[in-house]
Amino acid sequence: MTIAFRSAEDLAGMIRRREIGAVELLELYFGRIDTLDATINAVIWQDREGALETARAADSRTVTGDDLPPLHGVPMTIKESFDVAGAPTTWGDPAFRDNVARHDCVAVERLKRAGVTLFGKTNVPLNLADWQSFNDIYGITSNPWDTGRTPGGSSGGSAAALAAGLTGIETGSDIGASIRNPAHYCGVFGHKPSFGICPPRGQALPGVLTGADMAVIGPLARSAGDLEVALNVLAGPDVLDAAGWRLELPARRARKLADLRVAVMLESGLSEVDGPYLDMLQDLVDGIARTGATLSDAARPDIDMRDAHETYIQLLRAATSARLPQDRLEDFQAARARLDPGDASYFALMTRGNTMTHREWMALNERREHIRWAWHRFFDDWDILISPVAASTAFPHDHSGERHDRTIPVNGHEAPTTDQMFWAGFGLMALLPGTVAPAGISRDGLPGGIQITGPWLGDLTTIEAARLIEREFGGFQPPSGF
């Protein structure tokens, strides 16, 4: 594999051993962006001069033999929604076109201390609210495996840049699979951490300090090992909490696949899975079984999955409702007045979420807490649960109308694109960690990922499972032409 596609750990090691310089590696990525990015439009802002200065300092530090940080000299881009001093933070919204961050966010501060050479930002959808990445400021980002298809969203530019070999490592955010679906569609690794362990401060629009319910930040990479390195950098209390608590994640539960207790849920009546993707996942599950791991297709937490899904959608839309303009909020309030009480469609759940009272939110939160305890008991007996990430591999671009009115092709018919929010939310709504690892290339020629859900704070276990799958069955593969 060419240098551009090596893991961040490998790249940092090469710089430490002086097999390549930080400046030389950075310029390699600049050259690839100049040559290749026009076809996918992943990297939408760069500070080349500032990055070259950082890389020169890294090379000087290499020569002096100082104790070097874990990501020393690794070129990095980051999702546009993260504040980087001197860079625009717009979330794809023209209303914030002129918003330039004055300070680095917490994640960027920590990544810089870990040694990265941060040189650019990657594209997002408007307000981070789509499984595609397009907006009126930066345009459309395409999937490097097939430029007629989405790279995912909202961290779509992040995953596309990694898959195309335009950057060394990335960081995204996730409240509705916004790390996980881009990793799946682009064939890279992604980790949605347990809620609350990675401070999101500064991954926000101007003036916002409060992180949203369920929303997390986390790494995307070309190897499972990079996910753990980056998680160790990002995780830990923010300043307000640091005087009183420390984060100590539980040790991984297994060091080989044969020792894992694996629950398998590849299908659900709430979101149909497309045949080529499902077959690829089943092949991987069969391979895991052959290693001697304990598998069950029937083991589930003692929860009503439909109730969990409906709870998730309402909590999700409550969490994002603060972004609604007043006129849109009033539209939803009027729509709610017309809803049939028994209507459980996505639109109805979204409408109730956008307009709920605090009392209604507390009732949903109580339901969630019961679900969290059911998951806790489930993980007494099982180490991980593996599932699809979405309903299919990457779908064709479709930017028409409202997201909740669009469809995607699944098994020869059109399915609502929002159905697959089930796979996004059944673990996330319980605040659990979820890791996505490449599962292979399906018979439609596109990559697909496996979602690994683990116990609360079991991040090292889900990442380790991804690492073991990578070691046994292979991981990232570069797309043709890149």
Side-chain angles (χ1 to χ4, degrees):
M1 193 175 294
T2 63
I3 290 173
F5 293 110
R6 300 283 289 272
S7 72
E9 283 187 297
D10 285 350
L11 296 174
M14 293 175 69
I15 293 171
R16 286 191 199 95
R17 295 187 298 271
R18 304 190 196 180
E19 295 171 8
I20 193 169
V23 170
E24 181 184 0
L25 183 58
L26 180 63
E27 289 179 336
L28 181 151
Y29 283 116
F30 287 166
R32 290 183 61 82
I33 290 169
D34 291 342
T35 303
L36 299 169
D37 193 41
T39 62
I40 59 172
N41 188 39
V43 183
I44 46 78
W45 177 89
Q46 297 177 69
D47 175 15
R48 293 194 174 189
E49 286 305 313
L52 284 167
E53 183 177 339
T54 300
R56 292 184 194 106
D59 282 335
S60 296
R61 190 172 178 184
T62 304
V63 171
T64 62
D66 291 344
D67 186 28
L68 301 177
L71 295 172
H72 177 66
V74 174
M76 179 178 181
T77 52
I78 197 164
K79 186 175 183 176
E80 201 268 2
S81 55
F82 287 77
D83 278 352
V84 176
T89 302
T90 71
W91 290 39
D93 187 341
F96 297 99
R97 184 187 298 271
D98 298 325
N99 178 54
V100 175
R102 296 175 59 190
H103 308 286
D104 290 340
C105 66
V106 175
V108 168
E109 290 175 352
R110 293 181 177 185
L111 288 161
K112 286 182 175 179
R113 285 199 298 271
V116 302
T117 301
L118 187 63
F119 71 88
K121 296 184 109 180
T122 46
N123 205 18
V124 297
L126 174 65
N127 287 322
L128 316 188
D130 207 313
W131 280 24
Q132 304 178 80
S133 291
F134 67 100
N135 60 74
D136 289 340
I137 300 176
Y138 302 118
I140 300 167
T141 297
S142 297
N143 192 315
W145 285 86
D146 179 345
T147 57
R149 296 175 184 264
T150 178
S154 60
S155 310
S158 302
L162 279 167
L166 307 182
T167 188
I169 195 166
E170 259 280 357
T171 297
S173 61
D174 192 319
I175 192 174
S178 286
I179 288 171
R180 291 165 292 154
N181 80 71
H184 156 59
Y185 289 154
C186 292
V188 299
F189 292 81
H191 180 67
K192 186 211 80 64
S194 296
F195 178 73
I197 69 171
C198 297
R201 184 166 54 89
Q203 200 264 143
L205 289 171
V208 177
L209 283 176
T210 306
D213 180 25
M214 300 185 291
V216 301
I217 64 167
L220 296 99
R222 287 187 290 265
S223 78
D226 285 356
L227 295 181
E228 183 168 349
V229 171
L231 181 67
N232 287 336
V233 169
L234 294 167
D238 201 351
V239 174
L240 285 180
D241 304 309
W245 69 269
R246 299 289 182 272
L247 177 68
E248 186 175 341
L249 293 174
R252 64 209 75 208
R253 293 189 175 190
R255 291 282 186 172
K256 55 184 179 180
L257 282 172
D259 293 337
L260 278 173
R261 300 167 300 168
V262 183
V264 179
M265 183 171 71
L266 297 188
E267 297 185 81
S268 164
L270 297 170
S271 177
E272 184 180 0
V273 179
D274 197 45
Y277 177 39
L278 182 61
D279 290 346
M280 179 179 63
L281 294 180
Q282 187 63 60
D283 287 345
L284 177 61
V285 168
D286 293 344
I288 294 172
R290 288 192 292 271
T291 70
T294 301
L295 267 71
S296 171
D297 291 318
R300 300 287 185 272
D302 185 18
I303 61 177
D304 181 325
M305 286 292 185
R306 181 176 295 278
D307 177 65
H309 176 61
E310 292 177 4
T311 300
Y312 164 64
I313 295 299
Q314 292 176 87
L315 287 172
L316 170 67
R317 291 309 164 207
T320 60
S321 63
R323 304 176 198 165
L324 285 175
Q326 183 62 30
D327 59 340
R328 289 286 288 145
L329 176 60
E330 291 171 1
D331 289 343
F332 278 114
Q333 289 169 334
R336 180 168 184 171
R338 298 189 296 269
L339 287 178
D340 185 306
D343 188 349
S345 66
Y346 180 86
F347 179 79
L349 296 171
M350 175 178 68
T351 298
R352 294 188 186 105
N354 281 331
T355 58
M356 71 173 58
T357 64
H358 187 55
R359 181 182 178 89
E360 290 171 323
W361 184 90
M362 288 191 295
L364 284 173
N365 191 45
E366 178 67 21
R367 285 162 64 181
R368 169 167 57 185
E369 201 65 10
H370 286 268
I371 291 167
R372 291 188 69 203
W373 278 100
W375 277 108
H376 175 74
R377 292 187 290 271
F378 173 78
F379 283 121
D380 284 341
D381 298 321
W382 300 93
D383 297 318
I384 58 173
L385 183 147
I386 59 177
S387 70
V389 186
S392 67
T393 54
F395 58 86
H397 293 297
D398 178 7
H399 306 150
S400 60
E402 296 286 348
R403 177 188 179 188
H404 57 265
D405 292 327
R406 300 181 200 138
T407 61
I408 56 173
V410 178
N411 293 322
H413 65 89
E414 294 297 312
T417 186
T418 50
D419 280 3
Q420 60 191 335
M421 293 297 288
F422 169 76
W423 300 112
F426 72 86
L428 178 138
M429 63 84 62
L431 313 183
L432 304 176
T435 305
V436 170
I441 308 300
S442 73
R443 64 175 185 267
D444 63 10
L446 297 169
I450 189 84
Q451 179 168 214
I452 306 162
T453 300
W456 166 243
L457 300 179
D459 299 69
L460 299 182
T461 290
T462 62
I463 292 174
E464 182 65 14
R467 190 198 321 261
L468 295 172
I469 289 171
E470 177 185 22
R471 184 181 303 162
E472 185 73 24
F473 304 106
F476 169 74
Q477 300 179 51
S480 176
F482 287 87

